[in-house]
Amino acid sequence: MAAELVRGQNHPLSRNRIEIRISADVPVVAGATLADENGRVRGADRVVHPGAPTRPGIEVSRQAAADHRLAADLDAMPEAVHRVSVLIALPATPGGPLRFGAVAAPRVAVTGLDGTEVAAYTLTGLDAESAVVALELYRRQDAWKIRAVGQGYAEGLTALLADQGLPQAAELACGIEEAVARGMARSVPASTTETDRSRRTAPSVTGPDLSGTASGAESPYDVQTPGDGRPTVSGVSGPPGASGAVGAPGPTEPSTPTGSPIDYTHPKRRQTSPPSAPAVSASAEGPVPPVAGDAVGWSMDERLYNQVWGMFEDLARSTAAYRSAVDFAESRMEKELDQVLSDPRNRLGSTGDAAREEARARQARLVDQARAALDRDLAQLTAESEVVEPALPPAYARWDNPVWHGYRVPTELPMAVRLGDLHLPESAPLRIPMLVRLPLERGLWVDSGSPDGSGSDAGEVRHFAMHTAVALAARLLAAHPAGEFGVQVIDPAGSGASALAPLTGAGALAAPPAAGAVGVAEVLGRLTERVDLVQMAVQGGAADALPPGLDISRQLLIVNDFPHGFDDRAVTQLRYLADEGPDVGVHLLLVADREDAAAYGPLLDPLWRSLMRLTPVPDDHLADPWVGHAWTYEPCLVPVGSHVLQQVLTRVTAARTKDM
């Protein structure tokens, strides 16, 4: 759970590749200073700002915006840098606010690359300040920590930079303002004629966060921002959920494309023409073809990961724009009908009928326009999906992807693993891969109960649930290097024997499935002891003191038919593993129907909440609070008659045996 900091509070940082996300109600300038062990900034080259957005280990946005993503790789920081101060300031724009006290308190969050918050800080109590050091990252005994600072300066950037020890603070502050002004001058409005997803340059927007019963994942990528700093995709600007078309030009007032002197396109998308020939825009020649890996990242693995979540965000925003436009059309028709009926003379007769028909026709035209815009976006996203899917590595790919036929056990852990597919009702044929970062930060729960209103047979759902769990376990095994991941199974009644056959037949399990109450107690006791020992070793800094026979590789525990075979002690141990296990390499994959455990009442509520709920049949249970969508999840199952699962598990087992 993310820590909500107060001023002066610090918090440990468990990862070194992070994002710093800034959210404000108005466009702000974001930057950072890199100080030595004494807190002094040695020169202008240690200040990251829109005029110099990239320094070793950190990158900031190139212009003022209401939402920022600062990407930081603390491992790449120069050794002389001991403190990274994140600063925000109000730009000097005509008519803009002059002090933070006149706007809502900005919020700064430190997250992983998947969007999982580590800590956040809301800068309350600001008044006359126009520049503020929001928080700082600092080294402490070879580890990095976060501190909420909230130090404001009424004199603006000049005073802030001078306080950091820069003698040329005034000149640098002036340079930053000029860079911001240039950035705002070259901003262009979004086009409603085509989704331009080739504009990903520097992070600046908040990405998706699947919550509710499941955690989300996302990545640092960007879209073009207009002068007001609000992100735009597919003609959508401003925060989702606003009235009208989500901040986009209304359906009756389409915007027109505007040229830009900056080439935001992927290198493989750029049009080449003779120097003497006039430049031809992409819109004049049709949509540019999609390219796999068209996103930021240090590797192709990371670029594809970011591109997939870029597709997720684009689909979310396009759908939000469509739904908002439909709501706008409906409310406008109702308002016009109310106006017609408010006049008694129009309630009867041809005049009233004509007015009602005109209102309904106008509503239908607006809906048709919104649907046409959505269809254009869906066509481009579908084309991109058709290019991206074949290029995905095994950990990201469906089981029917040919990449699995050439599978080799990896030597490094991939960034993420695919748990299934996501889609929305308006775009049912388009599937977005659901990628979750590795190592897993929470356990998984495959719900073997029948979803409400699904009409599915209970026995059939339980059958599919165990097959879904086996497919997930096989995918996790295949994603890890040889010998670094093991699978153990608790199957008290032996009901999952047929589904477990691929794992047992290939010898992929660390031990035969545990059966009965005795087997349950033995496995849970052994894993609980492992968690205790590793926790004590890590906290005491004595990793070499672990017992020599202890297996410290990551472990996945599959539990079938919970709570059958569990007594109170076993239930307590299972809750302990769900809470404490992921931090020390023990992960839980629970196959259970919550109704079967109803006798425990609220005692198990923390367990269910701590796990990411997945379903063996399509179900729209994944909540998206970012734009209010309910995403339908579908598991990735092995095609009927395919032998790919056995082939992959055989190679995993062979590599593990060879490595022993």
Side-chain angles (χ1 to χ4, degrees):
M1 185 174 180
E4 193 69 31
L5 306 181
V6 297
R7 184 173 182 177
Q9 183 180 355
N10 57 30
H11 188 76
L13 190 57
S14 59
R15 60 191 77 185
N16 287 348
R17 291 179 65 185
I18 58 172
E19 286 184 348
I20 302 160
R21 304 187 177 192
I22 300 171
S23 303
D25 277 1
V26 296
V28 296
V29 181
T33 59
L34 312 180
D36 58 19
E37 63 275 12
N38 298 317
R40 308 291 292 179
V41 180
R42 297 182 179 180
D45 61 336
R46 293 296 174 91
V47 181
V48 196
H49 57 85
T54 304
R55 301 292 187 198
I58 189 166
E59 182 177 0
V60 304
S61 303
R62 290 169 170 78
Q63 57 185 353
D67 297 279
H68 290 271
R69 284 188 184 179
L70 283 63
D73 183 0
L74 300 177
D75 288 332
M77 284 288 174
E79 292 185 2
V81 174
H82 287 254
R83 185 182 302 173
V84 179
S85 298
V86 178
L87 59 93
I88 58 176
L90 293 170
T93 54
L98 301 178
R99 58 189 184 90
F100 278 109
V103 298
R107 185 175 187 268
V108 183
V110 177
T111 75
L113 297 185
D114 60 351
T116 303
E117 283 194 4
V118 178
Y121 172 43
T122 302
L123 285 81
T124 57
L126 297 178
D127 187 10
E129 298 88 345
S130 60
V132 60
V133 176
L135 56 79
E136 65 182 17
L137 312 173
Y138 63 97
R139 294 184 198 258
R140 180 62 55 86
Q141 297 178 349
D142 296 328
W144 287 88
K145 288 190 172 185
I146 311 163
R147 178 183 290 119
V149 179
Q151 177 62 52
Y153 298 85
E155 295 81 8
L157 276 174
T158 299
L160 186 154
L161 295 173
D163 196 36
Q164 298 271 331
L166 280 167
Q168 66 277 37
E171 293 81 355
L172 183 56
C174 182
I176 294 174
E177 291 288 354
E178 291 176 356
V180 172
R182 288 194 301 269
M184 299 181 73
R186 64 175 177 249
S187 298
V188 297
S191 168
T192 58
T193 61
E194 172 187 325
T195 303
D196 184 2
R197 300 194 63 253
S198 62
R199 300 181 181 178
R200 299 179 188 156
T201 52
S204 70
V205 298
T206 301
D209 179 18
L210 295 176
S211 61
T213 56
S215 70
E218 65 177 300
S219 61
Y221 73 99
D222 192 26
V223 294
Q224 174 66 3
T225 53
D228 61 0
R230 295 175 296 176
T232 66
V233 178
S234 299
V236 182
S237 64
S243 61
V246 198
T252 59
E253 300 176 1
S255 64
T256 57
T258 306
S260 171
I262 302 174
D263 186 1
Y264 289 99
T265 57
H266 187 278
K268 292 185 179 180
R269 292 185 174 188
R270 291 176 183 160
Q271 305 290 331
T272 57
S273 58
S276 59
V280 180
S281 66
S283 59
E285 297 182 356
V288 292
V291 179
D294 186 8
V296 298
W298 282 281
S299 64
M300 191 61 177
D301 187 19
E302 186 173 356
R303 291 169 69 88
L304 287 168
Y305 172 82
N306 293 342
Q307 186 173 14
V308 166
W309 282 111
M311 294 164 61
F312 176 97
E313 183 172 327
D314 283 357
L315 178 57
R317 291 191 176 208
S318 295
T319 305
Y322 170 72
R323 293 180 180 179
S324 184
V326 171
D327 291 343
F328 169 77
E330 292 286 347
S331 62
R332 176 172 175 172
M333 180 185 68
E334 292 176 1
K335 182 178 179 181
E336 291 176 348
L337 291 177
D338 289 343
Q339 290 176 345
V340 171
L341 296 176
S342 64
D343 189 345
R345 294 171 298 179
N346 294 334
R347 294 176 184 174
L348 299 174
S350 58
T351 303
D353 292 340
R356 284 188 285 270
E357 288 299 323
E358 183 180 355
R360 294 189 181 99
R362 187 179 296 108
Q363 181 265 347
R365 287 196 300 271
L366 294 179
V367 172
D368 290 343
Q369 290 177 17
R371 184 70 214 191
L374 177 63
D375 288 342
R376 284 195 299 271
D377 290 349
L378 292 180
Q380 186 168 351
L381 285 169
T382 301
E384 185 168 14
S385 177
E386 292 172 352
V387 171
V388 170
E389 279 286 356
L392 295 177
Y396 300 178
R398 295 192 184 101
W399 286 111
D400 58 359
N401 192 313
V403 72
W404 284 107
H405 297 296
Y407 167 78
R408 294 293 182 271
V409 177
T411 57
E412 295 182 356
L413 188 69
M415 285 190 62
V417 68
R418 185 174 190 158
L419 298 186
D421 293 332
L422 301 171
H423 68 87
L424 293 170
E426 293 86 352
S427 55
L430 177 61
R431 299 294 193 270
I432 304 296
M434 179 180 172
L435 303 182
V436 175
R437 290 295 300 270
L438 291 177
L440 296 175
E441 296 186 354
R442 62 193 301 195
L444 305 176
W445 164 33
V446 180
D447 190 351
S448 58
S450 299
D452 295 337
S454 67
S456 303
D457 178 76
E460 185 180 37
V461 172
R462 289 180 182 272
H463 173 76
F464 283 138
M466 198 57 192
H467 280 278
T468 300
V470 170
L472 290 170
R475 185 177 288 273
L476 289 166
L477 273 169
H480 284 75
E484 294 188 10
F485 193 83
V487 177
Q488 302 186 45
V489 177
I490 291 178
D491 189 16
S495 59
S498 61
L500 290 167
L503 293 173
T504 56
L509 297 181
V518 175
V520 171
E522 181 184 354
V523 173
L524 292 178
R526 185 171 62 250
L527 290 177
T528 300
E529 182 183 13
R530 178 195 183 280
V531 170
D532 288 338
L533 290 173
V534 175
Q535 277 188 337
M536 288 188 292
V538 171
Q539 294 171 359
D544 54 349
L546 288 170
L550 185 67
D551 182 7
I552 59 173
S553 63
R554 291 190 173 273
Q555 298 291 318
L556 176 71
L557 175 61
I558 302 177
V559 179
N560 186 33
D561 270 350
F562 175 80
H564 181 76
F566 280 70
D567 56 19
D568 291 344
R569 175 180 173 81
V571 169
T572 301
Q573 289 176 321
L574 189 71
R575 287 184 54 188
Y576 176 74
L577 292 178
D579 293 338
E580 305 295 335
D583 289 339
V584 291
V586 176
H587 308 280
L588 184 63
L589 176 50
L590 188 67
V591 182
D593 181 357
R594 190 167 182 173
E595 292 299 321
D596 293 343
Y600 286 94
L603 177 67
L604 291 182
D605 286 351
L607 173 65
W608 305 118
R609 286 195 299 266
S610 69
L611 302 175
M612 179 186 295
R613 178 175 174 251
L614 306 175
T615 54
V617 294
D619 185 53
D620 60 347
H621 67 279
L622 290 180
D624 177 10
W626 180 51
V627 287
H629 297 329
W631 292 80
T632 297
Y633 166 82
E634 288 186 20
C636 281
L637 297 177
V638 180
V640 177
S642 173
H643 299 287
V644 64
L645 191 63
Q646 291 85 343
Q647 294 171 2
V648 169
L649 290 175
T650 299
R651 291 175 183 174
V652 169
T653 304
R656 183 182 64 189
T657 304
K658 182 180 179 181
D659 190 60
M660 292 177 64

